[in-house]
Amino acid sequence: MLLSSALVGRMYYLQVTSRDQYELLAEQNRISMRLLAPTRGDIIDRYGRAVATSTTDYRVNVIPEETEGLDETLEALKAYIPISERDTTRIHRAAKRQRSFMPISVANNLDWKTFSNLNVNMPDLPGIQPDVGTTRFYPQKELGAHIVGYVGAVSEQELTGEPLLELPDFKIGKNGIEKVLDKQLRGSGGSSQVEVNVLGRVIRELSRQDSVSGDTARLTIDMEMQKYIANRVKDESAGVVVMDVHTGEILSIVSTPSFDPNDFNNGISQKKWDALRSDIRKPLMNKAVSGQYSPGSTFKMVVALAALEEGIITAEDTKYCGYRYKIGNRIAHCWNKNGHGKVNVIQALAQSCDIYFYDLALEVGIEKIHEMAAKFGIGERFNIGIMSEAKGINPNTIWKYGATGERWQGGDTINAGIGQGYVSTTALQLAVMTSRLANGGKMVLPSIFFDEKAEPKTPEGMDINPEHLEIVLQGMTDVYNHPRGTAFRYRSRSKDFKLGGKSGTTQVTGISAAERQSGVIKNDQKEWIGRDHALFVGYGPVENPKYAVSVLLEHGGSGSTDASPIARDILEHVIEQDVLREQEDSISGQPV
């Protein structure tokens, strides 16, 4: 009777008193909660073409707490898929750092045959979880690499306690727009409550809360234009930016050479990474936004405007260029060893006379040049949404003293007068500068994202005399269209429109007196790393400006002979494609 009473009492305790507790434990053994990863949002160009998207990925995970032993399960799994020692080490490391019920990635990008074979043999593989997810894919490959960046696995430093980040194969933005817009693109996770048997195999799904996909990011970039420009400069170490001069929309940002962001998706090999890092042409660097270079003669429009606005010169005033210019104990030279003779500001811009701008810069002074350069975006970081955007340098007396502890000298001013010395810009800044010149002095700001909800805004004026702008623009028009213009040979081939622009060539190494005596070594006779940088800024059509372009060729040679034909080809292509779209829209009845 005592034994029976004890058994009955124990049964009452288990079944009545502690019913809720043991029922919960039983449910936990029977019910499995699984976190559902969201689909990452797409990145598309202005016409809806995919730049970054998500594709189906067959993969297999392991849940440590559901295994009879992690090593035993991995050993059994090797009968179906290869698992390296490196993978085994990674899985054990992940098992130690995260919660035991969280799945750990074993392998991904499996073919359908392997994946289906795993599903059939699930009873022999406790703790193994076949999964159908998504992986990031960049269909444009190298064309969009410097803009969109890439995604990668979550590092230990990036774990914030958010369960979503602990999911196997969950990727976050590591560079470019992928990182800048990571949270918007990431979306939010869902959950699935499933009933499992003793082996952990799913019997049925009891409830489900779907994940929410990330937002789609639409860019102002035209990927067809991106492709055209990338092909045009494929043999160069180059940075190119194309902008709408009225809206500020960036139609193209190209940097060559480039890389394939898909290589980073599943972990780039050490060999490929070392090759990218050691390449002298710096394929990982976005030269259009991050590269900082002396603007050379493309800066002369700023100096000319500063002088015109201060009333120091008029369009008719001339200066004499005789090749040599003495300042203190220093002799500066013009690029033209025969000199340009008497030239006014329009002629000096068209022929890129250095002597004219040495003298003009000294008359204007660095402070006024600095103020005018700031109006045109030199030394400004625009934060357009691409990482590592450089600020450049718009120097003046205060800047130099703070940076070097030395006072500003007259030699610094004449260097600035031709866009060299301490002046440093990016291709993006030069495109903004050219846009503000071409649009009549409006402070347009560059943008790379379409904001569907934003109201169109008219850019503010910069309080610059329109007549002075016309003088400078005439000089830029003559660069391409006057027989003595530096880029006359490469003027527009179209009979329907003209182009305007300005060439620039910046020295990488100084020219010694002995070299001037014996003859300056030509760029094509130098090692690539010792050649001059070639730049060109342009706009078109001259009659009704709509587009601006900046071209930077790192160690490219000459702005007039190497960069200007590239700028011409790009502007012609952009304008002609624009005309074709208008014709197609007109025929289809769509608004132009």
Side-chain angles (χ1 to χ4, degrees):
M1 288 178 63
L2 287 172
L3 183 59
S4 298
S5 297
L7 289 172
V8 170
R10 181 62 177 169
M11 291 174 65
Y12 181 83
Y13 171 78
L14 293 173
Q15 297 184 30
V16 179
T17 306
S18 302
R19 177 181 182 278
D20 292 341
Q21 178 186 352
Y22 287 101
E23 181 180 44
L24 179 61
L25 290 173
E27 282 297 309
Q28 286 180 332
N29 287 327
R30 184 175 67 87
I31 305 301
S32 176
M33 292 294 297
R34 299 188 175 182
L35 188 59
L36 302 175
T39 301
R40 194 169 178 85
D42 290 345
I43 301 174
I44 60 176
D45 82 342
R46 66 189 296 117
Y47 298 112
R49 306 181 190 100
V51 185
T53 188
S54 298
T55 57
T56 302
D57 178 22
Y58 297 114
R59 55 199 183 199
V60 60
N61 309 319
V62 61
I63 302 174
E65 74 170 10
E66 295 181 5
T67 66
E68 296 174 354
L70 188 55
D71 285 323
E72 290 80 358
T73 297
L74 293 178
E75 192 62 37
L77 189 58
K78 288 181 180 179
Y80 305 95
I81 60 172
I83 302 176
S84 66
E85 287 298 321
R86 183 178 177 183
D87 288 331
T88 302
T89 302
R90 172 183 58 80
I91 293 165
H92 277 285
R93 189 183 298 122
K96 290 178 181 178
R97 84 180 187 196
Q98 68 187 45
R99 288 165 281 194
S100 62
F101 63 84
M102 294 298 297
I104 300 169
S105 172
V106 178
N108 55 17
N109 292 321
L110 301 176
D111 59 70
W112 173 248
K113 183 178 180 180
T114 303
F115 184 72
S116 57
N117 192 28
L118 276 171
N119 279 271
V120 169
N121 290 281
M122 278 291 291
D124 301 325
L125 300 168
I128 292 301
Q129 180 192 65
D131 186 28
V132 181
T134 58
T135 188
R136 205 59 165 165
F137 177 60
Y138 301 97
Q140 306 290 345
K141 298 184 178 179
E142 291 87 352
L143 291 180
H146 292 104
I147 300 172
V148 298
Y150 50 85
V151 296
V154 183
S155 67
E156 291 189 37
Q157 294 76 23
E158 291 166 327
L159 289 173
T160 60
E162 183 182 349
L164 199 59
L165 299 182
E166 297 182 21
L167 283 173
D169 287 321
F170 190 77
K171 306 289 176 60
I172 61 173
K174 295 285 186 175
N175 202 300
I177 291 172
E178 290 279 29
K179 184 168 184 177
V180 172
L181 297 184
D182 183 58
K183 290 196 175 178
Q184 296 97 305
L185 293 168
R186 188 187 300 175
S188 56
S191 61
S192 174
Q193 189 181 50
V194 295
E195 183 178 0
V196 296
N197 63 15
V198 69
L199 297 175
R201 186 170 189 177
V202 176
I203 305 301
R204 58 175 174 151
E205 186 174 63
L206 301 176
S207 65
R208 183 184 185 90
Q209 181 182 348
D210 289 327
S211 60
V212 178
S213 298
D215 296 335
T216 296
R218 184 182 173 203
L219 308 180
T220 60
I221 299 293
D222 179 348
M223 290 310 298
E224 284 300 314
M225 187 187 303
Q226 191 88 352
K227 182 178 180 180
Y228 173 84
I229 295 173
N231 285 334
R232 183 63 181 83
V233 295
K234 64 182 179 181
D235 297 325
E236 303 283 353
S237 179
V240 180
V241 178
V242 179
M243 271 182 64
D244 185 307
V245 304
H246 300 293
T247 66
E249 291 175 1
I250 297 174
L251 305 179
S252 181
I253 293 182
V254 169
S255 180
T256 57
S258 187
F259 60 93
D260 187 348
N262 291 300
D263 290 338
F264 290 84
N265 198 23
N266 298 311
I268 190 169
S269 69
Q270 191 64 45
K271 183 178 180 181
K272 277 190 175 181
W273 176 246
D274 290 341
L276 289 171
R277 293 280 305 270
S278 61
D279 192 327
I280 193 173
R281 295 174 185 257
K282 303 184 283 288
L284 292 172
M285 175 181 170
N286 186 345
K287 298 179 184 68
V289 172
S290 304
Q292 300 179 86
Y293 305 87
S294 296
S297 295
T298 63
F299 190 72
K300 288 176 179 175
M301 287 82 76
V302 169
V303 180
L305 268 177
L308 288 165
E309 288 289 284
E310 289 300 307
I312 293 172
I313 57 168
T314 67
E316 291 76 26
D317 293 336
T318 61
K319 294 179 182 294
Y320 181 77
C321 170
Y323 177 56
R324 297 173 183 270
Y325 185 84
K326 185 174 182 179
I327 175 171
N329 296 323
R330 174 184 169 186
I331 300 292
H333 300 82
C334 187
W335 69 268
N336 186 339
K337 62 182 180 181
N338 296 316
H340 291 97
K342 279 188 177 183
V343 288
N344 60 30
V345 64
I346 294 174
Q347 293 166 331
L349 285 170
Q351 299 171 43
S352 202
C353 176
D354 292 332
I355 301 298
Y356 183 96
F357 283 97
Y358 290 150
D359 195 54
L360 191 62
L362 286 173
E363 288 187 64
V364 178
I366 191 59
E367 297 304 328
K368 293 299 179 183
I369 295 173
H370 170 84
E371 291 173 14
M372 186 59 68
K375 286 186 177 183
F376 283 91
I378 306 301
E380 181 177 351
R381 186 178 288 116
F382 298 104
N383 297 315
I384 61 172
I386 296 178
M387 294 182 62
S388 303
E389 181 186 335
K391 187 178 181 181
I393 299 172
N394 179 15
N396 63 357
T397 54
I398 295 174
W399 174 86
K400 184 183 178 183
Y401 192 77
T404 68
E406 299 177 0
R407 295 182 180 278
W408 191 268
Q409 304 293 330
D412 298 326
T413 303
I414 68 168
N415 285 340
I418 61 167
Q420 299 201 53
Y422 293 114
V423 185
S424 174
T425 60
T426 67
L428 175 62
Q429 290 173 352
L430 293 177
V432 172
M433 176 194 77
T434 309
S435 294
R436 293 179 180 181
L437 286 166
N439 69 17
K442 295 183 176 61
M443 196 174 290
V444 66
L445 293 171
S447 61
I448 199 170
F449 299 114
F450 265 118
D451 188 348
E452 310 290 350
K453 299 177 182 178
E455 293 291 329
K457 293 182 180 179
T458 301
E460 296 179 5
M462 298 194 300
D463 195 26
I464 295 177
N465 189 326
E467 293 181 2
H468 296 158
L469 279 170
E470 284 300 319
I471 291 170
V472 170
L473 290 175
Q474 184 59 56
M476 295 178 73
T477 300
D478 287 355
V479 167
Y480 262 136
N481 300 288
H482 191 282
R484 295 195 67 181
T486 57
F488 179 68
R489 289 172 55 197
Y490 305 103
R491 61 194 178 280
S492 174
R493 293 160 294 194
S494 173
K495 296 179 180 179
D496 298 325
F497 57 82
K498 293 181 180 179
L499 304 175
K502 183 71 189 78
S503 58
T505 305
T506 61
Q507 295 172 1
V508 175
T509 57
I511 300 173
S512 65
E515 190 179 345
R516 289 190 186 278
Q517 291 266 331
S518 60
V520 177
I521 301 173
K522 295 182 179 180
N523 275 293
D524 57 6
Q525 297 173 335
K526 298 178 182 178
E527 292 289 329
W528 179 80
I529 197 70
R531 297 174 187 172
D532 298 337
H533 297 319
L535 301 97
F536 198 89
V537 297
Y539 70 94
V542 163
E543 300 76 12
N544 182 25
K546 189 171 182 182
Y547 301 107
V549 63
S550 63
V551 176
L552 159 74
L553 305 181
E554 191 178 46
H555 305 296
S558 165
S560 57
T561 59
D562 295 295
S564 72
I566 294 173
R568 174 205 59 192
D569 292 350
I570 292 170
L571 285 170
E572 285 183 346
H573 177 78
V574 174
I575 294 169
E576 288 165 1
Q577 290 300 307
D578 200 27
V579 171
L580 287 175
R581 273 192 295 271
E582 288 185 358
Q583 291 173 349
E584 289 172 2
D585 289 341
S586 178
I587 293 170
S588 65
Q590 298 295 321
V592 177

